[in-house]
Amino acid sequence: MAWAGATREIVVYKSLSNDVFTNLAFEDWVFKNLNLSHARILFFWRNTSCVVIGRHQNPWKEANLHLLRNRGMTLVRRKSGGGAVYHDLGNTNCTIFSSRQDYNRKRNLQLICDAVNQKWKVNLQRNKKDDIICKDKWKVSGSSAKLLKDLACHHFTLLLNVNLQNLRQLLTSSSEACIRESRATASTPSDVINLCNIEPSMNYNDVCSVIAEKFYDVHQVDLNRWVIDIDPLTLPGVMDIKKELQEWNWIYGKTPKFTVQNTKRFSFGDAHLSMEIQQGIIKNVKLDISWRSDDLPAICKAMEGKRVHTILAH
């Protein structure tokens, strides 16, 4: 593994960036540039407030885009699958990179549970869905993965001191009621809790240190057990990947095809709108109204070809 002057097979990094696009770009950069056939990397990172959706999700169904925009927060589509999550600086993210052959989600999550429980006695457990739960009830971590032929990336969260009001509000779609057909992966809501509510002494840096120690223990590393601070943007190519993740065509245009249907009732009659959305673009608009109008064909034609963001985000 030729990077940072290191040939070590087991190493831990912690991002100096709180920008979600930068941190996700680093994950993609590792896939493109490092040989992980005999390596395992643990990467810690956290972000300012944002909503991160899975690769195959529908942002209009998963998030309150209007509220996100009003609060100046970011929507992000990651490269891995899974459901939508809310991030802020109270959320600790862990990524484990390995070869595909060495990928073991259950082992990774058990390592986290063992490390945290040993230090703080908060009774974390891995359930059958490969979530981490606390005290047999509350979810504190969800997982997703990106798997290639030879490489694997498993990332997951730990809720330490997240703004739960933001989490609930921003992960409640304002448009879901009018989305009738969607091929996108749907998120499954869960009851959650902040670990700091149970053990107030927990904080980001200590959690990272405890997990890093366990990671090195499990891999029998005795020397140079460092947590190395890294600014991903110093690496050649990370900025280009970051720009790709910020593009509208990735965040919204990669949404699987879906159908929107909505009925509005006015004092003078009803209006029913139906349209298909392909790659975030409005197609096949049908508008039925209960009053006479010669403008319907022109209205429908004017809507087609527009980005659906201009309609459903309001």
Side-chain angles (χ1 to χ4, degrees):
M1 194 174 72
W3 179 44
T7 56
R8 301 169 61 204
E9 294 183 349
I10 308 299
V11 64
V12 179
Y13 293 99
K14 182 163 66 173
S15 179
L16 293 173
S17 174
N18 293 326
D19 176 70
V20 62
F21 292 109
T22 298
N23 289 321
L24 288 175
F26 173 76
E27 288 190 340
D28 208 30
W29 185 91
V30 170
F31 267 101
K32 294 178 178 180
N33 290 275
L34 300 187
N35 180 357
L36 299 175
S37 58
H38 300 289
R40 285 175 64 81
I41 299 172
L42 172 60
F43 176 52
F44 295 113
W45 48 293
R46 58 178 178 167
N47 307 307
T48 52
S49 299
C50 61
V51 168
V52 185
I53 61 172
R55 182 184 184 96
H56 306 294
Q57 290 201 290
N58 183 331
W60 292 278
K61 191 172 183 179
E62 297 297 333
N64 189 321
L65 301 182
H66 178 69
L67 196 58
L68 264 175
R69 184 177 65 249
N70 284 351
R71 294 183 180 177
M73 298 178 185
T74 304
L75 177 73
V76 190
R77 184 186 297 274
R78 61 179 181 265
K79 294 290 184 75
S80 61
V85 291
Y86 168 75
H87 286 190
D88 63 23
L89 294 178
N91 184 59
T92 298
N93 298 289
C94 306
T95 305
I96 295 180
F97 302 94
S98 68
S99 67
R100 177 65 183 267
Q101 183 178 3
D102 196 37
Y103 169 70
N104 188 322
R105 181 181 294 215
K106 293 178 173 55
R107 180 183 61 193
N108 294 341
L109 297 176
Q110 192 60 52
L111 183 153
I112 303 301
C113 293
D114 291 345
V116 174
N117 287 337
Q118 184 175 349
K119 173 69 175 180
W120 287 287
K121 314 297 183 185
V122 288
N123 191 21
L124 298 188
Q125 295 176 308
R126 173 183 54 81
N127 67 12
K128 294 180 180 179
K129 297 179 180 179
D130 284 339
D131 297 324
I132 294 178
I133 59 173
C134 180
K135 296 187 178 295
D136 299 315
K137 181 177 181 181
W138 293 289
K139 181 177 176 179
V140 296
S141 175
S143 287
S144 62
K146 179 181 176 183
L147 305 176
L148 301 181
K149 180 180 178 181
D150 299 316
L151 306 175
C153 162
H154 176 207
H155 47 202
F156 43 93
T157 61
L158 270 182
L159 300 180
L160 294 185
N161 194 22
V162 167
N163 186 323
L164 295 181
Q165 182 178 6
N166 276 347
L167 182 151
R168 296 184 182 100
Q169 291 177 344
L170 294 171
L171 295 182
T172 301
S173 170
S174 57
S175 307
E176 185 175 10
C178 62
I179 297 175
R180 293 292 184 265
E181 297 178 17
S182 178
R183 301 175 182 177
T185 302
S187 297
T188 304
S190 302
D191 292 329
V192 298
I193 193 172
N194 279 317
L195 287 172
C196 285
N197 288 359
I198 299 170
E199 180 46 73
S201 68
M202 295 181 72
N203 63 74
Y204 175 67
N205 288 326
D206 287 348
V207 167
C208 292
S209 296
V210 165
I211 294 173
E213 287 294 316
K214 178 63 71 173
F215 186 76
Y216 282 131
D217 285 345
V218 166
H219 294 92
Q220 300 179 336
V221 176
D222 297 322
L223 300 175
N224 300 327
R225 294 160 62 101
W226 305 313
V227 177
I228 303 172
D229 290 336
I230 177 70
D231 179 358
L233 289 180
T234 62
L235 301 169
V238 170
M239 178 59 78
D240 291 336
I241 300 171
K242 175 180 176 177
K243 290 178 180 178
E244 293 173 4
L245 292 173
Q246 291 174 313
E247 291 179 356
W248 191 96
N249 286 338
W250 170 253
I251 298 173
Y252 297 101
K254 284 296 183 180
T255 302
K257 177 181 175 181
F258 66 102
T259 300
V260 171
Q261 295 181 4
N262 197 17
T263 299
K264 293 288 186 181
R265 289 182 168 82
F266 305 96
S267 59
F268 48 84
D270 297 344
H272 180 75
L273 174 68
S274 175
M275 56 187 178
E276 293 180 0
I277 312 300
Q278 299 178 25
Q279 297 179 326
I281 303 299
I282 298 171
K283 307 283 187 180
N284 302 323
V285 178
K286 295 180 181 179
L287 181 59
D288 296 320
I289 59 177
S290 59
W291 63 93
R292 179 178 175 78
S293 174
D294 296 328
D295 297 326
L296 283 184
I299 294 173
C300 293
K301 185 175 181 180
M303 293 176 65
E304 292 184 356
K306 297 289 194 303
R307 290 177 173 180
V308 70
H309 183 70
T310 60
I311 296 177
L312 289 186
H314 296 283

